[in-house]
Every structure is written in structure tokens, then in C-alpha cells.
Amino acid sequence: MENKVKIERGEDGTYGAYIENNNLPYGIIGEGNTAKEAIQDFLNSYDQMKQYYTKKEKEFVESEFEFIYDVASFLNYYSKVLTLAGLERITGINQGQLSHYVTGHRKPGKKTVEKIEQNLHRFADELKEVEFM
């Protein structure tokens, strides 16, 4: 079984990880100061839940997880690696608009989210083709 885990940045600047449409018989969440910490905390919670079920001799439903970001969390997390100017060139979205998404002042619409995602995937495909001599 696979579940999508949403990574979101809260108003306080910390990150949370949770299953949006949980079809498991138990709930797990993760929290942290960074997206990476929230993911690790989420995976630790999963392991702890598995240990609890084993200890109680209850059947544990295994799951694999796909971690997905909301746009603000992704941009905030990767803005430490890529500048907003660089993200503008990659995504085709104005730096000012990206800044509004990062700070949470605005949320992108569905078409904008799709545009950002498609252009980031295109960029990732370009990076996969890089070979050095």
C-alpha cells in the first residue's frame, strides 16, 4: 500500500508531514524545523507505530510513502539552494510572485502549481542528462 504524505510549512515556520487521505487504520504525523526533519520524524513515528502494534500483537498494515510538498514549502525549502531569480528562470513565474508563495501571502492557483511542477520536472530531466568528462 502506498500513501501520499503532504509536507507543509506552518505559519510559525516549522514543517509538518501528514497523510492527507489516510486509508491506514492508524494515524502518523511528523514535525520539524525543516522539511527534512519533518520527514524523518514522520518515518520515526511510522516505526514506533509498527513496534506498538507488534508489542500488542495486532496486525500492522505496512505502507510505502511518497512525500509531496505544497508550493510554499517546496519554494521555501529549496530557496536555500536555488535563488528566486533561478527559480523564476526555471519555472517562468515572476520572482515577486514566487516570494508571495514562499511567505504564504498568496497561494498559487491550480494552473500555476501545474506550471511550476512541469517546469521543475523539465529542469530535473535536463540535469539527468548532464555528463562530465
Side-chain angles (χ1 to χ4, degrees), residues 12-69:
D12 65 353
T14 63
Y15 290 81
Y18 63 92
I19 300 172
E20 193 165 35
N21 297 312
N22 191 357
N23 56 6
L24 297 170
Y26 51 86
I28 49 177
I29 61 169
E31 298 175 327
N33 291 321
T34 65
K36 190 174 184 176
E37 285 179 12
I39 291 169
Q40 190 57 55
D41 189 48
F42 179 90
L43 294 172
N44 289 342
S45 296
Y46 175 74
D47 289 340
Q48 289 171 353
M49 187 62 71
K50 188 174 185 177
Q51 291 172 12
Y52 173 80
Y53 269 65
T54 301
K55 183 177 178 180
K56 295 292 183 180
E57 297 180 356
K58 294 173 76 175
E59 182 182 347
F60 182 76
V61 178
E62 298 271 349
S63 181
E64 292 183 13
F65 303 105
E66 176 185 356
F67 294 93
I68 58 173
Y69 290 84

